[in-house]
Amino acid sequence: MKIINNPKAMQAFSQNQRRQGKTIGFVPTMGALHEGHLSLIRQARQENDIVIVSIFVNPAQFGPKEDLRKYPRNLRRDAKMCAKLGVDIIFNPDSKPMYPQNYKTYVAVEDLSWVLCGKFRPGHFRGVATVVTKLFNIVSPDVSYFGQKDAQQAIIIKKMVEDLDIPVRIEVMPTVRAEDGLALSSRNTYLNEAERRDALVLSQALHIAEDLAQAGVRDSAKIIRCIKGCVRKRKTARLEYASIIDLDDLTPVKAITEPCLLALAVWIGKTRLIDNTIIRP
Ligand code: AMP
C-alpha cells in the first residue's frame, strides 16, 4: 500500500491504471476510521481491481464555529487498518494543494443542500459537493462508496453526479452500529460515559418511530412528537431536528403512505450526532 499526498501524482496514478483497463473503487473519508468506513472499503475491495481511500479533513465543509481543528486525526492507525484490508492507495493531501490561496470554484446542489443538516450547517454541503467533485476528478473512480449513515450527503452526491454527468457509479452501504445500536461515527470519541449512554436516544427514537409506523400510525407530526418526548428524557440530549421526508427530494412528508426517510440530529452535550432510518408504512 502506498500513501500519495500530491493531487497531481494521484491523478497520474489513476489515469495510468485506467489506461491499463483496471477498475477503481474509491472510498472518500475524513479518517479516524471505524467499522463503518471499513464496511465501505471491504465492498470496494470485493468489486474492483484497485481500491483508493482518501483521508482528508475537508476545511470547506466545516463552519467557522465547528470542530475542524479538534476533529480526530490518526493517519498511522488508519493506514494500518487500510493495509490490512488490502487497500492499494491512501490519498492524503494537505489543504494547500486542494484549496490554494486563489481558490474560487464551488459546487452547490440546490434545495437538497438547504434542508435538514444544511439548514443548521450553512455551507456544509457546498463544501462536501465541492471536495467530492475534486476528488472524483483526481481519482477517476468507476465506483465510489458512501454510507447511509449520512443519508442526505449520499442523496446530494447522487444528484450531483446525475446533474453534472460525472462518470462514476455511487453505491450506498448500510449504517454500521455498535452492539447497543449507536451508529458508529468518528465524533463518538468526543462523548464521555454519561453522554455515551444518552447518545443511545438516537437509535431508540428511530426504533420507536419504526414501530409506530408498523403499527399503522401515518401522521408524521405524531411520530415526531413522540421522538421529541423521547429525546427530552435524556439529560445531555437536545434535539436539533427530526424530519420525515421524501427519499428522493427531501421534501417533508405529512402522511406516511410509502417508504420515506426519518432523519434526526441531536446534540449530546457539545457533540452533534446524526442518524436516520427508512420508515415503512
Ligand atoms: P466521514 O469520514 O465521516 O466523512 O465518512 C466517510 C464515509 O463513511 C461516508 O460515506 C459516511 O457516510 C461513511 N460512514 C460513516 N459512518 C458510517 C457508519 N456508521 N456506517 C456506514 N457508513 C459510515
mmCIF file of all heavy atoms in Angstrom, residues 27-37 39-40 61 71 145-151 153 173-177 182-187, ligand 1:
data_model
loop_
_atom_site.group_PDB
_atom_site.id
_atom_site.type_symbol
_atom_site.label_atom_id
_atom_site.label_comp_id
_atom_site.label_asym_id
_atom_site.label_seq_id
_atom_site.Cartn_x
_atom_site.Cartn_y
_atom_site.Cartn_z
ATOM 1 N N VAL A 27 -13.202 5.190 -1.832
ATOM 2 C CA VAL A 27 -13.913 5.475 -0.580
ATOM 3 C C VAL A 27 -13.398 6.797 -0.002
ATOM 4 O O VAL A 27 -12.297 6.843 0.569
ATOM 5 C CB VAL A 27 -13.697 4.339 0.458
ATOM 6 C CG1 VAL A 27 -14.487 4.628 1.732
ATOM 7 C CG2 VAL A 27 -14.091 2.980 -0.121
ATOM 8 N N PRO A 28 -14.165 7.878 -0.153
ATOM 9 C CA PRO A 28 -13.727 9.149 0.441
ATOM 10 C C PRO A 28 -14.052 9.191 1.934
ATOM 11 O O PRO A 28 -15.180 8.874 2.331
ATOM 12 C CB PRO A 28 -14.537 10.216 -0.308
ATOM 13 C CG PRO A 28 -15.592 9.508 -1.079
ATOM 14 C CD PRO A 28 -15.394 8.024 -0.951
ATOM 15 N N THR A 29 -13.074 9.576 2.762
ATOM 16 C CA THR A 29 -13.296 9.661 4.209
ATOM 17 C C THR A 29 -12.547 10.872 4.778
ATOM 18 O O THR A 29 -11.708 11.459 4.109
ATOM 19 C CB THR A 29 -12.769 8.420 4.976
ATOM 20 O OG1 THR A 29 -11.342 8.569 5.181
ATOM 21 C CG2 THR A 29 -13.026 7.127 4.245
ATOM 22 N N MET A 30 -12.869 11.166 6.038
ATOM 23 C CA MET A 30 -12.096 12.173 6.772
ATOM 24 C C MET A 30 -11.178 11.495 7.795
ATOM 25 O O MET A 30 -10.677 12.143 8.713
ATOM 26 C CB MET A 30 -13.028 13.171 7.459
ATOM 27 C CG MET A 30 -13.890 13.933 6.444
ATOM 28 S SD MET A 30 -14.398 15.545 7.008
ATOM 29 C CE MET A 30 -15.384 15.125 8.420
ATOM 30 N N GLY A 31 -10.989 10.190 7.655
ATOM 31 C CA GLY A 31 -10.079 9.481 8.561
ATOM 32 C C GLY A 31 -10.722 9.157 9.894
ATOM 33 O O GLY A 31 -11.949 9.154 10.004
ATOM 34 N N ALA A 32 -9.874 8.849 10.914
ATOM 35 C CA ALA A 32 -10.357 8.320 12.197
ATOM 36 C C ALA A 32 -11.278 7.127 11.894
ATOM 37 O O ALA A 32 -12.421 7.067 12.325
ATOM 38 C CB ALA A 32 -11.080 9.386 13.017
ATOM 39 N N LEU A 33 -10.738 6.201 11.136
ATOM 40 C CA LEU A 33 -11.552 5.123 10.563
ATOM 41 C C LEU A 33 -12.138 4.204 11.633
ATOM 42 O O LEU A 33 -11.519 3.943 12.663
ATOM 43 C CB LEU A 33 -10.698 4.300 9.588
ATOM 44 C CG LEU A 33 -10.083 5.073 8.422
ATOM 45 C CD1 LEU A 33 -9.326 4.117 7.492
ATOM 46 C CD2 LEU A 33 -11.122 5.875 7.645
ATOM 47 N N HIS A 34 -13.357 3.746 11.363
ATOM 48 C CA HIS A 34 -14.020 2.772 12.234
ATOM 49 C C HIS A 34 -14.725 1.751 11.341
ATOM 50 O O HIS A 34 -14.641 1.852 10.101
ATOM 51 C CB HIS A 34 -15.002 3.469 13.186
ATOM 52 C CG HIS A 34 -15.952 4.400 12.484
ATOM 53 N ND1 HIS A 34 -16.907 3.960 11.598
ATOM 54 C CD2 HIS A 34 -16.072 5.759 12.517
ATOM 55 C CE1 HIS A 34 -17.599 4.985 11.134
ATOM 56 N NE2 HIS A 34 -17.102 6.108 11.664
ATOM 57 N N GLU A 35 -15.432 0.809 11.950
ATOM 58 C CA GLU A 35 -16.064 -0.282 11.190
ATOM 59 C C GLU A 35 -17.003 0.231 10.094
ATOM 60 O O GLU A 35 -17.207 -0.458 9.091
ATOM 61 C CB GLU A 35 -16.819 -1.232 12.122
ATOM 62 C CG GLU A 35 -15.946 -2.330 12.718
ATOM 63 C CD GLU A 35 -15.329 -3.265 11.665
ATOM 64 O OE1 GLU A 35 -16.017 -3.597 10.676
ATOM 65 O OE2 GLU A 35 -14.164 -3.652 11.827
ATOM 66 N N GLY A 36 -17.605 1.397 10.292
ATOM 67 C CA GLY A 36 -18.468 1.966 9.249
ATOM 68 C C GLY A 36 -17.679 2.205 7.983
ATOM 69 O O GLY A 36 -18.070 1.776 6.890
ATOM 70 N N HIS A 37 -16.522 2.883 8.131
ATOM 71 C CA HIS A 37 -15.660 3.113 6.964
ATOM 72 C C HIS A 37 -15.182 1.772 6.388
ATOM 73 O O HIS A 37 -15.124 1.589 5.176
ATOM 74 C CB HIS A 37 -14.418 3.917 7.361
ATOM 75 C CG HIS A 37 -14.703 5.265 7.942
ATOM 76 N ND1 HIS A 37 -14.446 5.573 9.269
ATOM 77 C CD2 HIS A 37 -15.205 6.392 7.396
ATOM 78 C CE1 HIS A 37 -14.769 6.828 9.497
ATOM 79 N NE2 HIS A 37 -15.235 7.359 8.389
ATOM 80 N N SER A 39 -16.522 -1.087 6.326
ATOM 81 C CA SER A 39 -17.520 -1.822 5.538
ATOM 82 C C SER A 39 -17.516 -1.308 4.091
ATOM 83 O O SER A 39 -17.703 -2.081 3.153
ATOM 84 C CB SER A 39 -18.912 -1.701 6.157
ATOM 85 O OG SER A 39 -19.416 -0.385 6.014
ATOM 86 N N LEU A 40 -17.306 -0.002 3.916
ATOM 87 C CA LEU A 40 -17.248 0.557 2.553
ATOM 88 C C LEU A 40 -15.988 0.058 1.845
ATOM 89 O O LEU A 40 -16.014 -0.302 0.658
ATOM 90 C CB LEU A 40 -17.226 2.091 2.580
ATOM 91 C CG LEU A 40 -18.278 2.839 3.403
ATOM 92 C CD1 LEU A 40 -18.126 4.343 3.203
ATOM 93 C CD2 LEU A 40 -19.674 2.426 3.023
ATOM 94 N N GLN A 61 -16.051 22.091 4.394
ATOM 95 C CA GLN A 61 -17.354 21.633 4.871
ATOM 96 C C GLN A 61 -17.579 21.919 6.357
ATOM 97 O O GLN A 61 -18.591 21.524 6.917
ATOM 98 C CB GLN A 61 -17.563 20.151 4.554
ATOM 99 C CG GLN A 61 -16.727 19.198 5.384
ATOM 100 C CD GLN A 61 -16.829 17.786 4.844
ATOM 101 O OE1 GLN A 61 -16.387 17.481 3.742
ATOM 102 N NE2 GLN A 61 -17.436 16.888 5.618
ATOM 103 N N TYR A 71 -11.060 17.869 15.178
ATOM 104 C CA TYR A 71 -11.532 16.635 14.535
ATOM 105 C C TYR A 71 -10.448 15.559 14.662
ATOM 106 O O TYR A 71 -9.273 15.824 14.398
ATOM 107 C CB TYR A 71 -11.877 16.896 13.061
ATOM 108 C CG TYR A 71 -12.703 15.781 12.470
ATOM 109 C CD1 TYR A 71 -14.076 15.752 12.615
ATOM 110 C CD2 TYR A 71 -12.092 14.710 11.809
ATOM 111 C CE1 TYR A 71 -14.834 14.706 12.115
ATOM 112 C CE2 TYR A 71 -12.835 13.658 11.307
ATOM 113 C CZ TYR A 71 -14.209 13.668 11.467
ATOM 114 O OH TYR A 71 -14.948 12.617 10.984
ATOM 115 N N TYR A 145 -18.041 4.738 -2.905
ATOM 116 C CA TYR A 145 -18.852 4.138 -1.847
ATOM 117 C C TYR A 145 -19.142 5.162 -0.755
ATOM 118 O O TYR A 145 -18.221 5.832 -0.266
ATOM 119 C CB TYR A 145 -18.122 2.920 -1.262
ATOM 120 C CG TYR A 145 -17.879 1.868 -2.319
ATOM 121 C CD1 TYR A 145 -16.780 1.962 -3.183
ATOM 122 C CD2 TYR A 145 -18.774 0.824 -2.502
ATOM 123 C CE1 TYR A 145 -16.581 1.030 -4.187
ATOM 124 C CE2 TYR A 145 -18.568 -0.118 -3.510
ATOM 125 C CZ TYR A 145 -17.471 -0.009 -4.339
ATOM 126 O OH TYR A 145 -17.279 -0.930 -5.344
ATOM 127 N N PHE A 146 -20.423 5.263 -0.368
ATOM 128 C CA PHE A 146 -20.849 6.184 0.681
ATOM 129 C C PHE A 146 -21.723 5.442 1.679
ATOM 130 O O PHE A 146 -22.262 4.379 1.368
ATOM 131 C CB PHE A 146 -21.632 7.355 0.069
ATOM 132 C CG PHE A 146 -20.764 8.274 -0.761
ATOM 133 C CD1 PHE A 146 -20.493 7.981 -2.088
ATOM 134 C CD2 PHE A 146 -20.188 9.404 -0.199
ATOM 135 C CE1 PHE A 146 -19.668 8.807 -2.847
ATOM 136 C CE2 PHE A 146 -19.364 10.240 -0.952
ATOM 137 C CZ PHE A 146 -19.106 9.940 -2.276
ATOM 138 N N GLY A 147 -21.856 6.000 2.894
ATOM 139 C CA GLY A 147 -22.643 5.344 3.940
ATOM 140 C C GLY A 147 -24.038 5.938 4.061
ATOM 141 O O GLY A 147 -24.218 7.153 3.956
ATOM 142 N N GLN A 148 -25.006 5.075 4.298
ATOM 143 C CA GLN A 148 -26.391 5.506 4.557
ATOM 144 C C GLN A 148 -26.461 6.331 5.849
ATOM 145 O O GLN A 148 -27.375 7.115 6.037
ATOM 146 C CB GLN A 148 -27.285 4.261 4.660
ATOM 147 C CG GLN A 148 -28.742 4.525 5.010
ATOM 148 C CD GLN A 148 -29.490 5.302 3.940
ATOM 149 O OE1 GLN A 148 -29.106 5.321 2.781
ATOM 150 N NE2 GLN A 148 -30.563 5.967 4.350
ATOM 151 N N LYS A 149 -25.480 6.172 6.721
ATOM 152 C CA LYS A 149 -25.405 6.971 7.950
ATOM 153 C C LYS A 149 -25.557 8.467 7.638
ATOM 154 O O LYS A 149 -26.213 9.207 8.354
ATOM 155 C CB LYS A 149 -24.059 6.680 8.620
ATOM 156 C CG LYS A 149 -23.492 7.732 9.512
ATOM 157 C CD LYS A 149 -24.067 7.614 10.887
ATOM 158 C CE LYS A 149 -23.585 8.654 11.868
ATOM 159 N NZ LYS A 149 -22.647 9.624 11.412
ATOM 160 N N ASP A 150 -24.923 8.912 6.545
ATOM 161 C CA ASP A 150 -25.042 10.303 6.107
ATOM 162 C C ASP A 150 -25.986 10.332 4.902
ATOM 163 O O ASP A 150 -25.570 10.572 3.768
ATOM 164 C CB ASP A 150 -23.663 10.862 5.762
ATOM 165 C CG ASP A 150 -22.728 10.822 6.961
ATOM 166 O OD1 ASP A 150 -22.795 11.739 7.782
ATOM 167 O OD2 ASP A 150 -21.967 9.845 7.103
ATOM 168 N N ALA A 151 -27.263 10.052 5.171
ATOM 169 C CA ALA A 151 -28.233 9.831 4.084
ATOM 170 C C ALA A 151 -28.359 11.055 3.182
ATOM 171 O O ALA A 151 -28.380 10.925 1.957
ATOM 172 C CB ALA A 151 -29.595 9.484 4.686
ATOM 173 N N GLN A 153 -26.209 13.400 2.613
ATOM 174 C CA GLN A 153 -24.981 13.509 1.821
ATOM 175 C C GLN A 153 -25.037 12.568 0.608
ATOM 176 O O GLN A 153 -24.729 12.967 -0.523
ATOM 177 C CB GLN A 153 -23.782 13.169 2.698
ATOM 178 C CG GLN A 153 -22.479 12.999 1.951
ATOM 179 C CD GLN A 153 -21.314 12.840 2.903
ATOM 180 O OE1 GLN A 153 -20.859 13.793 3.503
ATOM 181 N NE2 GLN A 153 -20.819 11.622 3.055
ATOM 182 N N MET A 173 -23.946 2.117 1.249
ATOM 183 C CA MET A 173 -23.897 0.927 2.111
ATOM 184 C C MET A 173 -24.627 1.190 3.433
ATOM 185 O O MET A 173 -24.646 2.320 3.915
ATOM 186 C CB MET A 173 -22.436 0.561 2.406
ATOM 187 C CG MET A 173 -21.596 0.287 1.173
ATOM 188 S SD MET A 173 -22.142 -1.196 0.337
ATOM 189 C CE MET A 173 -21.770 -2.417 1.578
ATOM 190 N N PRO A 174 -25.199 0.134 4.039
ATOM 191 C CA PRO A 174 -25.975 0.306 5.276
ATOM 192 C C PRO A 174 -25.149 0.884 6.429
ATOM 193 O O PRO A 174 -23.930 0.736 6.466
ATOM 194 C CB PRO A 174 -26.431 -1.112 5.632
ATOM 195 C CG PRO A 174 -26.048 -1.985 4.509
ATOM 196 C CD PRO A 174 -25.154 -1.256 3.586
ATOM 197 N N THR A 175 -25.838 1.504 7.360
ATOM 198 C CA THR A 175 -25.194 2.069 8.551
ATOM 199 C C THR A 175 -24.683 0.953 9.460
ATOM 200 O O THR A 175 -25.431 0.030 9.786
ATOM 201 C CB THR A 175 -26.216 2.935 9.329
ATOM 202 O OG1 THR A 175 -26.680 3.953 8.451
ATOM 203 C CG2 THR A 175 -25.601 3.550 10.571
ATOM 204 N N VAL A 176 -23.431 1.059 9.864
ATOM 205 C CA VAL A 176 -22.867 0.096 10.811
ATOM 206 C C VAL A 176 -23.038 0.671 12.218
ATOM 207 O O VAL A 176 -22.744 1.854 12.453
ATOM 208 C CB VAL A 176 -21.378 -0.175 10.508
ATOM 209 C CG1 VAL A 176 -20.781 -1.118 11.539
ATOM 210 C CG2 VAL A 176 -21.224 -0.756 9.107
ATOM 211 N N ARG A 177 -23.509 -0.162 13.146
ATOM 212 C CA ARG A 177 -23.817 0.291 14.504
ATOM 213 C C ARG A 177 -23.026 -0.473 15.557
ATOM 214 O O ARG A 177 -22.620 -1.608 15.308
ATOM 215 C CB ARG A 177 -25.318 0.079 14.784
ATOM 216 C CG ARG A 177 -26.196 0.881 13.864
ATOM 217 C CD ARG A 177 -27.685 0.605 14.026
ATOM 218 N NE ARG A 177 -28.395 1.457 13.081
ATOM 219 C CZ ARG A 177 -28.620 2.749 13.285
ATOM 220 N NH1 ARG A 177 -28.264 3.311 14.435
ATOM 221 N NH2 ARG A 177 -29.212 3.476 12.362
ATOM 222 N N LEU A 182 -25.937 2.357 18.742
ATOM 223 C CA LEU A 182 -25.394 3.667 18.353
ATOM 224 C C LEU A 182 -24.677 3.560 17.003
ATOM 225 O O LEU A 182 -23.809 2.710 16.818
ATOM 226 C CB LEU A 182 -24.416 4.173 19.423
ATOM 227 C CG LEU A 182 -23.761 5.531 19.109
ATOM 228 C CD1 LEU A 182 -24.781 6.662 19.095
ATOM 229 C CD2 LEU A 182 -22.643 5.851 20.097
ATOM 230 N N ALA A 183 -25.047 4.424 16.066
ATOM 231 C CA ALA A 183 -24.379 4.446 14.763
ATOM 232 C C ALA A 183 -22.924 4.847 14.968
ATOM 233 O O ALA A 183 -22.638 5.834 15.663
ATOM 234 C CB ALA A 183 -25.080 5.433 13.837
ATOM 235 N N LEU A 184 -21.998 4.088 14.377
ATOM 236 C CA LEU A 184 -20.581 4.429 14.527
ATOM 237 C C LEU A 184 -20.315 5.761 13.843
ATOM 238 O O LEU A 184 -20.846 6.051 12.782
ATOM 239 C CB LEU A 184 -19.700 3.342 13.911
ATOM 240 C CG LEU A 184 -19.814 1.952 14.530
ATOM 241 C CD1 LEU A 184 -18.753 1.021 13.940
ATOM 242 C CD2 LEU A 184 -19.680 1.986 16.044
ATOM 243 N N SER A 185 -19.485 6.580 14.515
ATOM 244 C CA SER A 185 -19.116 7.887 13.972
ATOM 245 C C SER A 185 -17.785 8.291 14.594
ATOM 246 O O SER A 185 -17.520 7.992 15.766
ATOM 247 C CB SER A 185 -20.180 8.920 14.348
ATOM 248 O OG SER A 185 -19.659 10.226 14.229
ATOM 249 N N SER A 186 -16.962 8.962 13.792
ATOM 250 C CA SER A 186 -15.691 9.435 14.342
ATOM 251 C C SER A 186 -15.937 10.375 15.518
ATOM 252 O O SER A 186 -15.119 10.482 16.427
ATOM 253 C CB SER A 186 -14.899 10.169 13.254
ATOM 254 O OG SER A 186 -14.765 9.338 12.119
ATOM 255 N N ARG A 187 -17.074 11.051 15.513
ATOM 256 C CA ARG A 187 -17.373 12.019 16.585
ATOM 257 C C ARG A 187 -17.781 11.342 17.899
ATOM 258 O O ARG A 187 -17.831 12.004 18.936
ATOM 259 C CB ARG A 187 -18.449 12.998 16.131
ATOM 260 C CG ARG A 187 -17.939 13.973 15.063
ATOM 261 C CD ARG A 187 -18.924 15.094 14.789
ATOM 262 N NE ARG A 187 -18.319 16.144 13.979
ATOM 263 C CZ ARG A 187 -18.379 16.234 12.653
ATOM 264 N NH1 ARG A 187 -19.043 15.333 11.969
ATOM 265 N NH2 ARG A 187 -17.800 17.233 12.010
HETATM 266 P P1 AMP B 1 -16.587 10.525 7.201
HETATM 267 O O1 AMP B 1 -15.179 10.091 7.451
HETATM 268 O O2 AMP B 1 -17.377 10.732 8.446
HETATM 269 O O3 AMP B 1 -16.674 11.679 6.229
HETATM 270 O O4 AMP B 1 -17.305 9.301 6.475
HETATM 271 C C1 AMP B 1 -16.796 8.744 5.297
HETATM 272 C C2 AMP B 1 -17.823 7.785 4.721
HETATM 273 O O5 AMP B 1 -18.095 6.757 5.668
HETATM 274 C C3 AMP B 1 -19.168 8.476 4.418
HETATM 275 O O6 AMP B 1 -19.688 7.985 3.200
HETATM 276 C C4 AMP B 1 -20.016 8.065 5.579
HETATM 277 O O7 AMP B 1 -21.402 8.039 5.284
HETATM 278 C C5 AMP B 1 -19.498 6.663 5.856
HETATM 279 N N1 AMP B 1 -19.820 6.255 7.231
HETATM 280 C C6 AMP B 1 -19.542 6.935 8.368
HETATM 281 N N2 AMP B 1 -20.048 6.275 9.442
HETATM 282 C C7 AMP B 1 -20.652 5.168 8.957
HETATM 283 C C8 AMP B 1 -21.367 4.077 9.552
HETATM 284 N N3 AMP B 1 -21.561 4.003 10.871
HETATM 285 N N4 AMP B 1 -21.851 3.104 8.746
HETATM 286 C C9 AMP B 1 -21.669 3.164 7.400
HETATM 287 N N5 AMP B 1 -21.006 4.164 6.775
HETATM 288 C C10 AMP B 1 -20.498 5.153 7.543
#
